[in-house]
Amino acid sequence: MKSILALGLGLLSLATAQTSFPKADGTRFNIDGKTGYFAGTNSYWISFLTNNRDVDLVLDHLQTSGLKILRIWGFNDVNSRPNSGTVWFQLLQSSGSQINTGADGLQRLDYIVKSAEQRGVKLIINFVNYWDDYGGMKAYTTAFGGSKEGWYTNARAQEQYKKYIAAVVSRYVNSPAIFAWELANEPRCKGCNTDVIFKWATDISNYVRSLDPNHMITLGDEGFGLAGATTYPYQYGEGTDFAKNLGVKNLDFGTFHMYPQHWGVPNSFGAGWIRDHAAACKKAGKPCMLEEYGVSTDQCNVQKGWQAASRQLATEGMSSDLFWQWGDQLSSGRTHNDGFTIYYGSSQATCLVTDHSTVAMFSKPLTGLVPLLCALLTFITPIMSQSQVRIMALGDSITGSPGCWRALLYRRLQTAGITNNTKFVGSLPAQGCGFPYDGANEGHGGILATQIVSQKLLPGWLSSAKPDVVMMHLGTNDVWNNRSPEEILVAYGQMVDWMRESKASIKILVAQIIPMNPPNCRECGQRVQNLNKAIPGWAAGKNSTESPITVVDCWTGFDTSRMTGDGVHPNNAGNEKLAGCWFEPLVKAIK
Ligand SMILES: *[C@@H]1O[C@H](CO)[C@@H](O)[C@H](O)[C@H]1NC(C)=O
Ligand SMILES: *[C@@H]1O[C@H](CO)[C@@H](O)[C@H](O)[C@H]1NC(C)=O
């Protein structure tokens, strides 16, 4: 026990030592050395609080909720000096402007940054509002003339805006609590050529980069202007082109917002909006952040679906979502309810915050006594309870979304008395299957085995989940994309190598996958058979006593016309069938 503790503390000091700037790691974010998907939220009002204890309370609540990223307003522009006691950051006047670095000015931001540093929360700070709240571009045009559309090219406005940026950035240039600098909140240029915002974003991001080589920079736009559909948000009329702006060198990730109610589209619009942005981000090789989203009715059900849709694309371009907006009980009372507010401690918060953030990786920073004990415990637990078997279901949408055969399989294990020594592991959460079950998994919708290998996705999943048993059902999407059995088995082989690097005695169950008969691929049925036929020979060649491979036949007796709705994904009957094929091999592997 003593040596374990010493080792645990060693691990801990290593972890606390690696404080670094958040960054992009391909299409995913990396915070404090961990690459993954991160949940967060927005609070515009926190920047204008005058009571430090209220700031600390909010950040405490964010920390305990597991929310890692907080987006705040970094601007508060006025055209005349307010009465004392009112917070303002910049006075804009043609006769001479002033940046307020006093106690009712940028020192308010200083306190938030300090509080965030202490709690491992990362901040997105933006420099100007497109909207007139807290001044915005309007405050600049009031001082310097012109229209909001002209703001992006107004020399005097831009000169002062850059001075303001320099004032803010210089204060926190070395802070690990800055997630990213953001050029504006929801910049639009109605009826303008999309070059206007593109050129402005290029110029300003270059400028920010010249001041700060380390922190990420992003635009803060709503993601308007995108190929894929013709509804209002996809159009270019607000002057932004999402894919084009992703090409700006010093913008490190893409942002988009989502308010179907405001945009005249149904809530079901959300999944496609997320998918299309993720695809653009993937193409650009930068992460996507769903930076604001909200509905004012049925918040839990609607937004839970959006969060799941975003997480499902965690390796396909999406790396974070920040709901709008955080609500809390301050010394002055409840914070502003604009109809979208999710209050700390409410049932909506349990649904959209607690449940959601527990699946985002590494949400707890390693500071303070309680996290310290947690860190020690997570380290010790696998050693003390050796009998616990960690099981990873690895695959595509057949396994993950919703993959209700895993729920049925879990229930069968319970019925068989295997009730307390299994744990299903993976970065994706259980989806609704009608009853609670242990449903963490690595079933990534749309994924190919060859892609898992080319993008080296599995080592990260393994090091987080640390499985003792892997059940793998993969190849459907490879077959659909006409990858040959040879290519797929090479990928299988690499995956097995990674699994054994993760744990030398890992037990590996490999499915002969279920048949498929999608309308757009008549040859797929035969291709599945060709793959399945090659699996046993491959498995025997790769087998070892220390880390046995078991081939699991899920193909025989699976009838696509009866057991799927679309020729590919199992329906209830298909889920029963899949639970059945896995059950016995899994029980043997557990024992
Ligand atoms: C489950 O746990 C209890 C108490 O921790 C133990 O007595 C029992 O033997 C365990 N059952 C199985 C099937 O492991
Ligand atoms: C691998 O070896 C184990 C025994 O160590 C055996 O039970 C299993 O059937 C073998 N798997 C294959 C695919 O040959």
Side-chain angles (χ1 to χ4, degrees):
M1 194 64 189
K2 207 170 167 188
S3 65
I4 293 171
L5 269 168
L7 206 57
L9 282 167
L11 195 79
L12 190 78
S13 54
L14 201 76
T16 31
Q18 63 177 195
T19 308
S20 57
F21 301 110
K23 59 182 186 215
D25 178 0
T27 60
R28 298 195 293 163
F29 290 120
N30 179 294
I31 296 181
D32 292 340
K34 313 290 191 210
T35 294
Y37 187 99
F38 299 95
T41 187
N42 287 268
S43 169
Y44 75 84
W45 40 259
I46 196 170
S47 309
F48 317 130
L49 297 179
T50 49
N51 181 337
N52 289 346
R53 279 210 304 264
D54 283 337
V55 171
D56 287 339
L57 172 115
V58 170
L59 281 150
D60 276 341
H61 289 169
L62 291 170
Q63 185 193 16
T64 49
S65 301
L67 294 174
K68 200 70 190 159
I69 305 170
L70 177 67
R71 177 169 173 261
I72 66 173
W73 279 188
F75 53 81
N76 189 345
D77 299 305
V78 296
N79 292 117
S80 57
R81 193 181 300 270
N83 296 330
S84 72
T86 301
V87 174
W88 60 281
F89 294 165
Q90 181 175 229
L91 173 66
L92 294 166
Q93 285 178 343
S94 60
S95 55
S97 299
Q98 187 194 338
I99 293 166
N100 181 5
T101 55
D104 56 359
L106 292 179
Q107 289 179 27
R108 296 314 311 149
L109 281 187
D110 295 352
Y111 194 82
I112 300 169
V113 172
K114 186 173 140 216
S115 184
E117 280 173 0
Q118 289 163 350
R119 291 163 179 81
V121 172
K122 307 295 172 180
L123 303 167
I124 297 178
I125 296 184
N126 51 24
F127 302 129
V128 69
N129 203 358
Y130 167 77
W131 306 103
D132 301 348
D133 310 281
Y134 300 93
M137 294 178 190
K138 177 82 177 304
Y140 285 83
T141 58
T142 299
F144 307 118
S147 64
K148 282 213 264 189
E149 285 68 40
W151 181 86
Y152 301 93
T153 51
N154 179 324
R156 286 191 68 195
Q158 292 302 309
E159 187 192 346
Q160 185 59 35
Y161 168 68
K162 284 186 177 176
K163 277 188 195 160
Y164 184 70
I165 291 176
V168 174
V169 169
S170 62
R171 292 175 98 81
Y172 320 118
V173 67
N174 293 317
S175 174
I178 303 300
F179 185 80
W181 303 116
E182 186 167 287
L183 305 193
N185 173 48
E186 303 194 333
R188 295 182 177 189
C189 189
K190 203 169 190 59
C192 307
N193 189 300
T194 56
D195 275 345
V196 173
I197 284 185
F198 175 80
K199 283 183 179 150
W200 166 80
T202 304
D203 174 40
I204 303 300
S205 58
N206 289 344
Y207 177 65
V208 178
R209 182 57 72 233
S210 75
L211 302 171
D212 181 348
N214 292 319
H215 290 109
M216 289 190 283
I217 305 169
T218 193
L219 181 51
D221 63 312
E222 294 153 284
F224 290 155
L226 185 63
T230 55
T231 49
Y232 159 70
Y234 282 86
Q235 295 169 17
Y236 299 83
E238 302 292 355
T240 53
D241 180 331
F242 183 75
K244 185 160 88 179
N245 292 336
L246 275 176
V248 173
K249 179 167 153 276
N250 279 320
L251 293 181
D252 298 284
F253 61 94
T255 60
F256 64 103
H257 299 180
M258 193 160 85
Y259 294 101
Q261 277 171 311
H262 288 179
W263 297 347
V265 291
N267 288 335
S268 58
F269 163 91
W273 183 243
I274 293 168
R275 190 189 56 230
D276 291 337
H277 285 85
C281 278
K282 191 178 170 193
K283 200 164 162 205
K286 296 181 178 181
C288 253
M289 171 182 282
L290 175 52
E291 194 189 45
E292 285 188 23
Y293 57 94
V295 277
S296 54
T297 51
D298 203 11
Q299 288 171 318
C300 172
N301 284 322
V302 174
Q303 299 189 57
K304 194 169 61 179
W306 293 342
Q307 292 178 336
S310 183
R311 281 197 314 260
Q312 282 291 322
L313 297 167
T315 56
E316 295 291 303
M318 292 304 305
S319 195
S320 177
D321 69 82
L322 277 54
F323 66 86
W324 181 275
Q325 65 162 327
W326 182 258
D328 221 319
Q329 182 79 29
L330 306 180
S331 61
S332 51
R334 281 194 137 195
T335 58
H336 178 212
N337 186 358
D338 59 357
F340 298 105
T341 307
I342 308 290
Y343 285 98
Y344 176 69
S346 67
S347 60
Q348 276 97 336
T350 306
C351 168
L352 297 172
V353 182
T354 317
D355 296 353
H356 180 44
S357 60
T358 48
V359 304
M361 288 168 60
F362 309 107
S363 51
K364 291 227 164 73
L366 293 168
T367 53
L369 186 63
V370 172
L372 183 133
L373 288 173
C374 289
L376 287 176
L377 279 176
T378 33
F379 184 73
I380 293 166
T381 305
I383 297 170
M384 295 200 309
S385 52
Q386 298 226 320
S387 58
Q388 192 187 59
V389 183
R390 299 169 66 85
I391 304 160
M392 174 190 280
L394 172 65
D396 48 38
S397 57
I398 292 170
T399 296
S401 37
C404 287
W405 59 263
R406 290 178 294 104
L408 300 174
L409 179 62
Y410 173 77
R411 193 154 68 181
R412 282 201 193 196
L413 293 175
Q414 302 297 297
T415 312
I418 302 171
T419 51
N420 53 3
N421 66 334
T422 63
K423 182 165 174 53
F424 286 82
V425 293
S427 60
L428 299 173
Q431 294 193 23
C433 292
F435 57 92
Y437 66 105
D438 186 10
N441 69 92
E442 295 291 358
H444 297 264
I447 211 153
L448 286 70
T450 46
Q451 176 192 3
I452 290 177
V453 168
S454 67
Q455 297 182 358
K456 298 196 171 59
L457 299 173
L458 187 58
W461 297 339
L462 291 166
S463 71
S464 302
K466 300 186 178 51
D468 304 300
V469 177
V470 175
M471 347 168 24
M472 170 169 128
H473 185 289
L474 260 177
T476 305
N477 290 301
D478 298 83
V479 162
W480 218 330
N481 285 283
N482 209 4
R483 299 285 148 71
S484 67
E486 294 73 29
E487 286 173 277
I488 300 169
L489 293 176
V490 168
Y492 278 16
Q494 175 62 65
M495 282 191 273
V496 165
D497 293 343
W498 281 330
M499 290 173 202
R500 288 173 176 162
E501 276 166 32
S502 155
K503 179 176 182 181
S505 62
I506 198 163
K507 295 182 181 172
I508 302 164
L509 312 182
V510 178
Q512 287 174 299
I513 64 175
I514 61 173
M516 65 191 292
N517 187 20
N520 70 354
C521 181
R522 290 298 164 209
E523 317 80 57
C524 276
Q526 185 57 49
R527 292 184 197 156
V528 166
Q529 293 193 50
N530 297 345
L531 170 65
N532 282 342
K533 219 161 74 186
I535 287 175
W538 163 85
K542 199 79 190 163
N543 207 8
S544 84
T545 339
E546 194 188 5
S547 165
I549 301 178
T550 306
V551 177
V552 177
D553 179 8
C554 292
W555 188 87
T556 303
F558 194 107
D559 172 1
T560 51
S561 63
R562 219 166 39 77
M563 297 180 181
T564 73
D566 58 4
V568 179
H569 298 91
N571 59 17
N572 291 343
N575 283 325
E576 288 289 355
K577 182 83 179 103
L578 265 167
C581 73
W582 283 117
F583 179 69
E584 272 184 33
L586 182 61
V587 170
K588 280 195 188 132
I590 291 169
K591 286 188 170 158

